[in-house]
């Protein structure tokens, strides 16, 4: 695809109009300063260096694909679009890579999914230029209003209307593309169309190694900065950097675990440094050869941390927190779509090798959806009871959770409690519920 189609021309023209308005009108002064700040941040030395390296890597990709007969000069436009979208944006998604273990697999598969194929077909044929000039700002405006309407439940009906309009437009563009393909099958079934389809996915797949190594580099860069606070002896700190690279290499999750460990157990000598690596190896062996803990003593933390995995609660490692106490916790799972939604988190507390307490915490940030949140909390607590005690939750415990009332009773030799903590001065009636299963 050598030239811009009508949709791309329309988008480009509207971007030019927006830039002219922002930089010529005094009414847009605040926006202008924000855009200028963003551009300044984008062109700092460190980011420019990364961009240059990235462009060099993409250039190598293009060279190898060209040598393999999978790229030609007709793909310059598609390559530029790919660099400005997938290439650059992926660099700024490092936090997403940390949170999502399947990020790279999903990135590779995203360009092969049905909606990606539909986008490709739709992108080949556009409406006439005057229609695209009219439709582009309308669709963007409706999309933004739909996103805003989705932030609160009370606007759900409005959001459905906006979404319906967007769906109708999508169907219209698909119908137009299919009509143009059927009417001009000879133009569609060309060698250039095959190149248009395969080049972006190939660029994405072969870009993943670079993105992964850049991700690993940034993790180590951050880790080495943190070592300045954890290890005061400069010689030991230099050795620690070398050992960490040799010991963990690309296993960044293990590196983060080691950093957390030495932030608690400070290192002042080479012997203590070696012991810290031995500790991580020991923890990995324990997790890979899980041993049951007698129910009278508590639970195996390496089993207990997965009790609620099917409910979406994925805990981190079971680590030493302070003193002789150990713990693991999940990220907070948000409930609902309010601006400040309620949330639930799962915690495990105990000592080395034995979990003594299993806890769920529900934060209620407002009363608009308190009943729904408590019901979800009760259902999650019920699963925890079944997995940890192999028992069913009593009606008394269920009622306490649904009503938001304090309660305590014994399930065999285990104490199960519900505690309510009201937040003083909270205008929206905020409070939290704590559900605990403890080895008493």
């Amino acid at each position: 695809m050598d030239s811009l189609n009508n949709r791309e021309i329309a988008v480009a023209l509207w971007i030019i109009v927006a830039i002219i308005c922002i930089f010529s009108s005094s009414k847009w002064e605040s926006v202008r300063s924000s855009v200028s700040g963003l551009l300044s941040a984008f062109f700092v030395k460190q980011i420019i260096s990364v961009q240059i390296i990235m462009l060099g890597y993409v250039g190598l990709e293009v060279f190898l694909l060209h040598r393999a007969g999978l790229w030609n000069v007709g793909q310059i436009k598609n390559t530029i679009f790919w660099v400005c979208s997938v290439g650059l944006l992926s660099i700024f998604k490092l936090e997403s890579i940390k949170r999502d273990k399947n990020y790279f697999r999903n990135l590779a598969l995203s360009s092969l999914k049905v909606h990606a194929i539909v986008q490709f077909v739709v992108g080949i044929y556009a409406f006439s230029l005057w229609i695209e000039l009219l439709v582009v700002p309308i669709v963007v405006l409706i999309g933004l209003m739909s996103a805003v309407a989705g932030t609160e439940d009370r606007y759900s009906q409005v959001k459905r209307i906006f979404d319906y309009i967007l769906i109708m437009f999508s169907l219209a563009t698909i119908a137009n593309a299919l009509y143009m393909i059927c009417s001009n099958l000879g133009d569609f079934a060309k060698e250039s169309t095959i190149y248009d389809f395969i080049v972006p996915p190939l660029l994405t797949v072969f870009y993943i190694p670079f993105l992964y190594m850049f991700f690993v580099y940034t993790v180590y860069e951050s880790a080495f900065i943190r070592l300045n606070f954890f290890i005061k002896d400069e010689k030991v700190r230099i050795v620690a950097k070398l050992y960490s690279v040799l010991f963990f290499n690309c296993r960044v999750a293990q590196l983060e675990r080691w950093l957390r460990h030495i932030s608690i157990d400070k290192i002042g000598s080479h012997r203590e440094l070696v012991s810290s690596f031995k500790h991580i190896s020991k923890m990995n062996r324990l997790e890979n050869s899980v041993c049951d803990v007698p129910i009278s003593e508590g639970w195996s933390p390496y089993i207990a941390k997965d009790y609620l995995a099917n409910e979406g609660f994925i805990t981190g490692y079971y680590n030493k927190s302070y003193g002789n106490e150990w713990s693991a916790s999940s990220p907070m799972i948000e409930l609902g779509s309010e601006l400040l939604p309620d949330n639930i988190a799962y915690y495990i507390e105990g000592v080395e090798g034995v979990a003594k307490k299993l806890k769920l915490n529900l934060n209620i940030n407002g009363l608009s959806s308190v009943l729904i949140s408590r019901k979800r909390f009760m259902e999650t607590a019920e699963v925890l009871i079944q997995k940890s005690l192999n028992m069913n939750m009593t009606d008394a415990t269920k009622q306490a959770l649904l009503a938001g009332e304090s309660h305590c009773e014994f399930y065999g030799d285990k104490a199960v409690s519900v505690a309510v903590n009201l937040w003083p001065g909270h205008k929206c009636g905020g409070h939290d519920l704590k559900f605990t299963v403890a080895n008493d």
Side-chain angles (χ1 to χ4, degrees):
M1 196 181 298
D2 300 323
S3 59
L4 299 177
N5 62 31
N6 288 336
R7 184 168 301 130
E8 292 162 347
I9 293 173
V11 171
L13 289 174
W14 278 112
I15 290 175
I16 293 172
V17 170
I19 292 173
I20 293 173
C21 290
I22 290 173
F23 286 94
S24 63
S25 175
S26 59
K27 296 180 180 179
W28 295 84
E29 185 175 352
S30 59
V31 177
R32 185 159 58 246
S33 60
S34 299
V35 171
S36 299
L38 179 63
L39 292 175
S40 299
F42 192 79
F43 288 102
V44 297
K45 181 179 178 181
Q46 293 84 348
I47 294 180
I48 290 179
S49 300
V50 172
Q51 293 171 4
I52 292 174
I53 296 172
M54 183 269 288
L55 290 174
Y57 184 87
V58 174
L60 178 62
E61 278 190 84
V62 169
F63 173 75
L64 294 176
L65 288 174
H66 179 64
R67 290 293 298 269
L70 299 173
W71 190 95
N72 59 31
V73 292
Q75 294 304 306
I76 292 176
K77 186 196 77 169
N78 286 336
T79 303
I80 293 174
F81 280 0
W82 182 90
V83 168
C84 295
S85 55
V86 178
L88 284 176
L89 293 180
S90 297
I91 292 177
F92 297 98
K93 291 184 177 180
L94 297 182
E95 286 302 317
S96 298
I97 298 175
K98 285 184 179 180
R99 293 193 300 268
D100 186 359
K101 295 180 180 179
N102 299 318
Y103 178 85
F104 293 106
R105 181 173 67 87
N106 293 336
L107 179 63
L109 294 176
S110 62
S111 55
L112 301 176
K113 291 180 179 178
V114 173
H115 73 83
I117 297 173
V118 172
Q119 286 178 343
F120 167 75
V121 173
V122 169
I124 291 178
Y125 295 104
F127 296 108
S128 60
L129 182 57
W130 73 269
I131 294 179
E132 293 291 346
L133 286 170
L134 180 65
V135 166
V136 165
I138 295 176
V139 170
V140 170
L141 182 61
I142 293 175
L144 291 174
M145 289 191 294
S146 175
V148 172
T151 59
E152 294 192 36
D153 289 339
R154 58 178 175 170
Y155 298 134
S156 58
Q157 292 184 343
V158 178
K159 177 175 171 55
R160 280 196 291 270
I161 294 173
F162 289 144
D163 290 345
Y164 177 77
I165 296 173
L166 292 174
I167 290 172
M168 294 303 296
F169 172 75
S170 298
L171 292 175
T173 55
I174 293 172
N176 176 67
L178 293 176
Y179 172 77
M180 294 298 294
I181 290 173
C182 294
S183 302
N184 305 277
L185 190 58
D187 291 336
F188 179 77
K190 295 187 302 185
E191 182 184 41
S192 60
T193 305
I194 299 175
Y195 278 108
D196 290 339
F197 181 71
I198 67 171
V199 165
L202 287 175
L203 288 172
T204 299
V205 170
F206 293 123
Y207 185 65
I208 288 175
F210 167 80
L211 191 60
Y212 181 71
M213 294 310 299
F214 177 64
F215 166 67
V216 172
Y217 170 80
T218 58
V219 171
Y220 271 98
E221 183 181 43
S222 174
F224 290 168
I225 293 173
R226 290 159 66 183
L227 285 179
N228 293 328
F229 301 95
F230 300 155
I231 304 176
K232 300 302 181 183
D233 189 295
E234 184 177 359
K235 292 181 179 179
V236 176
R237 188 165 62 246
I238 293 173
V239 174
K241 293 177 180 180
L242 175 63
Y243 283 2
S244 65
V245 173
L246 295 175
F247 189 79
F248 299 117
N249 44 76
C250 292
R251 298 178 299 161
V252 294
Q254 293 294 313
L255 173 64
E256 290 288 348
R257 185 177 195 177
W258 174 69
L259 288 170
R260 189 181 187 284
H261 171 68
I262 65 174
S263 70
I264 297 169
D265 284 354
K266 302 298 183 182
I267 291 176
S269 66
H270 182 266
R271 177 179 296 180
E272 292 174 344
L273 176 63
V274 173
S275 296
S276 70
F277 290 107
K278 289 181 178 179
H279 171 80
I280 299 300
S281 296
K282 176 185 175 182
M283 292 298 99
N284 289 330
R285 288 196 301 272
L286 285 173
E287 292 174 358
N288 294 328
S289 57
V290 176
C291 298
D292 286 333
V293 173
I295 191 64
S296 59
E297 297 181 15
W299 302 267
S300 166
Y302 311 112
I303 296 176
K305 71 186 188 68
D306 294 327
Y307 281 159
L308 299 177
N310 291 337
E311 311 303 310
F313 296 88
I314 309 299
T315 69
Y317 292 113
Y318 186 68
N319 290 316
K320 189 175 184 180
S321 50
Y322 55 88
N324 294 322
E325 297 185 9
W326 288 58
S327 64
S329 63
S330 74
M332 291 181 178
I333 291 184
E334 296 183 345
L335 310 177
S337 56
E338 289 80 2
L339 188 61
L340 189 61
D342 302 337
N343 53 70
I344 305 177
Y346 175 44
Y347 302 89
I348 302 168
E349 298 175 356
V351 296
E352 183 176 358
V354 181
K356 298 291 186 179
K357 287 183 180 180
L358 310 177
K359 297 169 61 177
L360 281 168
N361 191 82
L362 169 65
N363 291 316
I364 300 291
N365 293 305
L367 300 179
S368 59
S369 58
V370 62
L371 297 179
I372 297 175
S373 297
R374 285 178 183 169
K375 185 175 186 297
R376 170 70 188 280
F377 189 58
M378 184 272 291
E379 293 169 347
T380 307
E382 192 171 16
V383 173
L384 183 59
I385 288 288
Q386 292 169 348
K387 292 287 184 69
S388 63
L389 303 179
N390 197 25
M391 300 172 68
N392 292 323
M393 180 180 286
T394 65
D395 291 337
T397 303
K398 290 182 181 179
Q399 182 58 37
L401 289 169
L402 292 174
E405 298 174 348
S406 296
H407 176 74
C408 184
E409 64 177 299
F410 280 87
Y411 287 60
D413 63 342
K414 300 293 187 289
V416 175
S417 63
V418 180
V420 184
N421 177 40
L422 301 177
W423 300 342
H426 197 277
K427 295 180 180 179
C428 300
H431 60 281
D432 60 75
L433 288 178
K434 286 182 173 61
F435 177 79
T436 306
V437 183
N439 189 60
D440 195 59

